[in-house]
Amino acid sequence: MAPIPLQRDIVQRPGTARAGYAHGPRLAGRTSLPGIPLAPSAARRFVRAALAEWTGLGVPAAVGFSDRLADDAVTVTNELVTNAVVHAGTTVDLVLRLEEEGGDEPSAALVLEVTDHHPARPVSGDGPEGADLEPGGTVAGDLPDPAEYGRGLQLVATLAESWGITYRTGLKTVWARLPVDDWSGPPAPPDQDSVRRGLRAAEILAPAARRTERDDAVWDSRGAPAFLAEASDLLAGQLDEDLVAAIAGQLLVPRLADWCAIWLEAEGGGPGAAPRLARVWHSDETGTEPLRTALEREPLRLPPDVGSGPVPVPVPVPVPWPAPPADEAPPPGARDGAALAFRITAGGRALGTVLVGREGVAQVPEAVASLVEDFVRRLGLAVGAARAYTRQATISRILQRGLLPSKVAEIPGVTSALVYEPSDDGVVGGDFYDIFPCPGDRWCFVLGDVQGSGPEAAVVTGLARPWLRLLSREGFGVGEVLDRLNRLLLDDAMEAAEAAALMVAAAGGRQLHDGSQSRFLSLLYGEVVPLPGGGVRCTVASAGHPLPLLLRPDASVRPAAEPQVLLGVVEDVAYESQVFDLAPGDTLLCVTDGVTERRSGPLMFDDGDGLARVLAGCAGLPAEATAERIRRAVHEFAEQPPDDDVALLVLHAD
């Protein structure tokens, strides 16, 4: 999924960059975020961008923005937005203010406000029902344990100078105030200091670059949540387990360890299957290969009970330091140290092992071991999600191969070309095609589009294609084939609906799905018979499908069929067919709505007969060249790739 675009409104009030501080807010940044899982990461980016912008402007209080303050602001934002998304599920409004106060001891603070539109839904850590309200409708008090999603207001209370919840009509706002403690109210920095301010702003935007050297002091209650939030962002959405392992290695080294190694269990492997060493990462590049050699010589094997139990957790296990064989000298600069192993688990299954090492120490600090444990939990979820996607994609590819013909028949006197591009490699497409011979010197061609995609579409495709072949070979005409296919789809939909009703009854009346049992199908079906003098005679029928276009050598284009209703919708319908000759040099183009309805903003590809215009420019081209020109025009119509399956069939009479 693509990142959420942010609409930022940074307001600088007059006199912000000057001394003479008035009470109240001076800078404010505002944005609105949809109530989706990507909202917390977008909010974190927004806060860092706002802090960097204020720093670059030379705002006096921004000079005091420390690394800790930036991390605290990002962490509090992450928790508040996560709570709002999970517990309220509405659009989230985020306001970030920088407040300055003058006087004998000038002070400044960042104020964060996160507002949702479902005040009846409590946030994680919200006070009990009937809690005392501070003036202005603000709740404060003792906090319960953190909820399942987000660490709750306990973390916010730890990091913030003050915080509260304000209820208004239709709104609930959680706010937190973070003091700018590294600032004593100097005037704005001089202009010649702009380079330093620019570098500081870049550091705030890219916090990972600030810590190339390891500093265990940062992994307290403040630094750890920020690290885990950024790590979750980088790991989430990765669909390849090797890429997940590579990212994990870069996150662990050198921040938490001098080196790490990650093993992944074989998918579906038995108890005796050896894990695969997926990634070795060392802070010193020259130490990577010697470490890999040592680990491959003696693969790490944890006892079966490590990380097991009703809820498996990645408990740290001390393991011996990897060493070269006795007859080999250790690599230059090699030092002994402490190593810990963690089981990677997800969904109650062991997925692999993480091994981290620190040189020159007797043991890994407890705070670091606990942080790595939390990190490995997130790593397990990422590896599990990547494997689930890989399994689904593999199943879909196998299913797709079974639903589509391995090869299409060659029609005498006609050259054919096919383009088939599913919109998602991991999901079975709803478009299908076929060209096959029939008795009586006939060849039939099919281009269909099932409503939706995935398993529902696969069911319809798996029914329609063999039925079409069977009905065609039984000698039914084009219209009769569609009549019978329509009745078959309606009967199948009725049986599916009855089965769904039985499932609902068995579940005590609970709806187990969205209830959609539609079997709608748009179909272009045709029959080709070679003519003695050259060319072929075509008989076609279109059922709710984009009409086929006939291209003559003089570049004239006309529809070759009449529109008719979708299959699987109306019971009493008689489908009709149209007959025409495809003379030598003529071309017949058949497409699905992934071509005609390809969008670029409010426009569609076929607006104003756009497809016919492109086809007219293909006069005189062979089938392959025509198909490629149409395909290229569809892709170039918009900057974004097609979001629907693209399928087209070209028949060119030789």
Side-chain angles (χ1 to χ4, degrees):
M1 189 172 294
I4 300 173
L6 297 180
Q7 295 182 344
R8 191 167 72 241
D9 179 18
I10 303 295
V11 179
Q12 183 177 1
R13 298 193 174 185
T16 300
R18 300 293 180 189
Y21 315 101
H23 291 275
R26 293 302 188 95
L27 292 178
R30 299 177 177 85
T31 189
S32 293
L33 303 166
I36 62 176
L38 287 179
S41 64
R44 294 196 297 272
R45 295 198 312 271
F46 170 80
V47 169
R48 288 203 184 277
L51 298 181
E53 185 166 341
W54 295 342
T55 300
L57 288 172
V59 177
V63 176
F65 287 170
S66 63
D67 290 353
R68 171 159 289 187
L69 177 63
D71 287 343
D72 286 356
V74 168
T75 302
V76 170
T77 300
N78 180 78
E79 295 306 317
L80 295 184
V81 174
T82 298
N83 271 309
V85 169
V86 171
H87 296 282
T90 69
T91 299
V92 179
D93 299 322
L94 170 62
V95 176
L96 175 66
R97 297 200 311 271
L98 177 59
E99 296 184 347
E100 302 173 11
E101 294 187 359
D104 296 336
E105 296 183 0
S107 63
L110 287 175
V111 178
L112 286 154
E113 296 181 355
V114 174
T115 301
D116 65 65
H117 300 263
H118 204 316
R121 297 276 181 88
V123 298
S124 170
D126 198 352
E129 185 177 358
D132 293 335
L133 291 176
E134 294 182 355
T138 299
V139 159
D142 296 334
L143 299 173
D145 292 335
E148 179 182 3
Y149 297 102
R151 296 171 182 266
L153 295 182
Q154 276 187 325
L155 178 60
V156 176
T158 300
L159 300 181
E161 177 186 60
S162 58
W163 64 273
I165 308 174
T166 302
Y167 292 89
R168 301 181 182 88
T169 303
L171 299 174
K172 176 173 77 271
T173 299
V174 186
W175 58 267
R177 180 184 174 90
L178 307 174
V180 180
D181 50 10
D182 293 343
W183 179 68
S184 57
D191 291 341
Q192 58 265 32
D193 204 27
S194 59
V195 173
R196 184 183 66 82
R197 296 199 309 269
L199 292 175
R200 179 69 187 125
E203 289 176 351
I204 293 174
L205 282 171
R210 298 200 304 262
R211 292 178 182 149
T212 56
E213 297 297 330
R214 191 170 62 245
D215 181 8
D216 289 342
V218 306
W219 307 125
D220 54 11
S221 61
R222 298 169 180 260
F227 168 77
L228 292 173
E230 298 295 339
S232 297
D233 260 2
L234 291 171
L235 293 174
Q238 303 298 335
L239 303 179
D240 181 272
E241 63 180 55
D242 288 320
L243 181 57
V244 170
I247 293 174
Q250 296 179 63
L251 288 169
L252 290 172
V253 179
R255 292 176 179 85
L256 299 174
D258 291 304
W259 56 263
C260 77
I262 299 176
W263 285 265
L264 295 177
E265 301 287 346
E267 180 77 5
R276 173 173 60 91
L277 185 57
R279 175 63 57 173
V280 176
W281 203 270
H282 203 292
S283 57
D284 181 0
E285 293 181 359
T286 62
T288 301
E289 286 308 315
L291 176 62
R292 179 184 293 274
T293 301
L295 294 174
E296 288 177 341
R297 184 184 301 110
E298 297 183 9
L300 176 66
R301 291 187 179 276
L302 293 179
D305 59 340
V306 172
S308 61
V311 182
V313 293
V315 179
V317 178
V319 297
W321 188 264
D327 57 346
E328 292 185 13
R335 296 188 298 167
D336 288 346
L340 289 179
F342 301 79
R343 180 86 76 192
I344 305 173
T345 63
R349 298 178 55 204
L351 302 180
T353 305
V354 174
L355 177 63
V356 297
R358 282 200 166 195
E359 298 177 347
V361 297
Q363 64 180 17
V364 177
E366 183 178 349
V368 173
S370 177
L371 180 56
V372 176
E373 182 178 325
D374 283 343
F375 174 82
V376 174
R377 285 193 180 95
R378 288 158 172 78
L379 175 60
L381 294 175
V383 172
R387 290 196 168 185
Y389 174 84
T390 300
R391 286 193 296 270
Q392 179 62 44
T394 301
I395 293 171
S396 293
R397 284 193 294 269
I398 295 173
L399 183 58
Q400 193 79 67
R401 286 198 298 267
L403 295 176
L404 297 176
S406 56
K407 61 179 297 186
V408 296
E410 295 183 2
I411 304 174
V414 174
T415 304
S416 63
L418 272 165
V419 171
Y420 178 71
E421 296 178 347
S423 60
D424 189 337
D425 290 338
V427 178
V428 177
D431 293 1
F432 66 95
Y433 59 86
D434 202 357
I435 301 177
F436 54 92
C438 287
D441 200 24
R442 297 178 297 127
W443 279 261
C444 298
F445 61 92
V446 178
L447 194 60
D449 186 2
V450 180
Q451 181 195 41
S453 61
E456 281 291 325
V459 169
V460 180
T461 302
L463 295 173
R465 198 169 70 86
W467 280 344
L468 280 167
R469 286 200 170 204
L470 178 62
L471 293 170
S472 300
R473 288 169 177 169
E474 288 296 316
F476 293 106
V478 171
E480 294 175 308
V481 168
L482 296 189
D483 290 342
R484 283 161 174 76
L485 181 59
N486 182 56
R487 286 198 291 270
L488 288 168
L489 288 173
L490 289 169
D491 291 344
D492 182 73
M494 182 63 69
E495 293 175 2
E498 292 173 353
L502 292 174
M503 292 176 63
V504 171
R510 291 183 294 109
Q511 192 74 13
L512 302 179
H513 49 75
D514 62 4
S516 175
Q517 292 293 334
S518 58
R519 294 290 191 266
F520 301 158
L521 169 64
S522 76
L523 188 73
L524 181 66
Y525 172 67
E527 182 181 283
V528 174
V529 178
L531 297 175
V536 294
R537 176 154 294 167
C538 293
T539 305
V540 298
S542 176
H545 202 83
L547 299 180
L549 298 179
L550 177 60
L551 170 65
R552 300 295 188 184
D554 61 359
S556 62
V557 178
R558 70 170 181 84
E562 297 293 333
Q564 299 177 86
V565 69
L566 283 166
L567 295 171
V569 178
V570 182
E571 185 172 359
D572 297 326
V573 61
Y575 288 92
E576 298 181 354
S577 59
Q578 287 76 44
V579 181
F580 59 93
D581 289 345
L582 201 63
D586 290 347
T587 298
L588 184 68
L589 173 65
C590 311
V591 302
T592 60
D593 60 9
V595 173
T596 56
E597 297 180 6
R598 164 80 157 132
R599 286 192 171 274
S600 177
L603 303 177
M604 290 195 298
F605 183 74
D606 198 33
D607 286 347
D609 295 327
L611 178 59
R613 290 199 308 272
V614 176
L615 180 60
C618 300
L621 295 180
E624 288 286 351
T626 299
E628 175 58 24
R629 180 171 293 188
I630 301 294
R631 186 200 68 81
R632 189 168 61 247
V634 170
H635 279 268
E636 293 175 352
F637 184 69
E639 294 183 1
Q640 299 297 324
D643 57 2
D644 193 6
D645 302 337
V646 173
L648 61 94
L649 169 64
V650 177
L651 300 178
H652 179 77
D654 300 330

